[in-house]
């Protein structure tokens, strides 16, 4: 059974940083494409960052230069480092795994950027 558990969200002031973690079980993250998505209030879910099984990363234009995605194969975990956070980054952030057999979602973690 695949399980993705996000953590690290919270309340942060504008300009602050957070690191989100997505711990996986039932899959090997290095053999999957892994993505971070977010859904802000009243908005559609959108892709924020993605890492392929080969280790290539793609970052959404809206967060490029502020967010980075990484993977720790030993911990079977992917991360989203978020710097210079803006109020518009407020959203529920979700982790997703993808491979030839399908995809799975985590339950999400809330990030709120506010003074």
């Amino acid at each position: 059974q695949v399980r993705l558990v996000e953590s690290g969200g919270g309340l942060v002031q504008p300009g602050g940083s957070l690191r989100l973690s997505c711990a996986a079980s039932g899959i090997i993250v290095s053999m999957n494409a892994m993505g971070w998505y977010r859904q802000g209030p009243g908005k559609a879910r959108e892709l924020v960052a993605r890492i392929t099984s080969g280790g290539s990363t793609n970052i959404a234009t809206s967060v490029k230069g502020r967010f980075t995605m990484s993977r720790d194969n030993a911990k079977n975990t992917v991360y989203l480092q978020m710097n210079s956070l803006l109020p518009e980054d407020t959203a529920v952030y979700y982790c997703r795994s993808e491979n030839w057999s399908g995809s799975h979602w985590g339950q999400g973690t809330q990030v709120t950027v506010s003074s």
Side-chain angles (χ1 to χ4, degrees):
Q1 183 178 356
V2 178
R3 190 166 181 233
L4 303 174
V5 180
E6 302 97 332
S7 61
L11 174 63
V12 63
Q13 292 186 342
S17 298
L18 284 174
R19 188 178 80 155
L20 305 183
S21 301
C22 172
S25 58
I27 60 166
I28 299 173
V29 295
S30 62
M31 297 181 68
N32 284 259
M34 302 294 296
W36 283 101
Y37 292 73
R38 69 184 181 184
Q39 187 165 16
K43 298 181 181 180
R45 192 172 296 189
E46 61 176 354
L47 176 65
V48 176
R50 186 173 180 270
I51 186 167
T52 67
S53 57
S56 299
T57 57
N58 292 297
I59 307 295
T61 301
S62 59
V63 303
K64 194 167 290 185
R66 299 189 297 121
F67 291 12
T68 56
M69 184 174 182
S70 60
R71 183 176 71 197
D72 186 329
N73 295 339
K75 294 183 178 180
N76 210 35
T77 297
V78 295
Y79 302 96
L80 184 68
Q81 178 67 44
M82 306 186 295
N83 299 327
S84 303
L85 282 160
L86 304 170
E88 49 262 46
D89 295 318
T90 294
V92 179
Y93 284 72
Y94 298 90
C95 178
R96 182 183 189 223
S97 68
E98 309 163 35
N99 64 25
W100 62 271
S101 67
S103 63
H104 298 88
W105 292 91
Q107 83 288 350
T109 185
Q110 175 70 47
V111 172
T112 302
V113 184
S114 175
S115 55

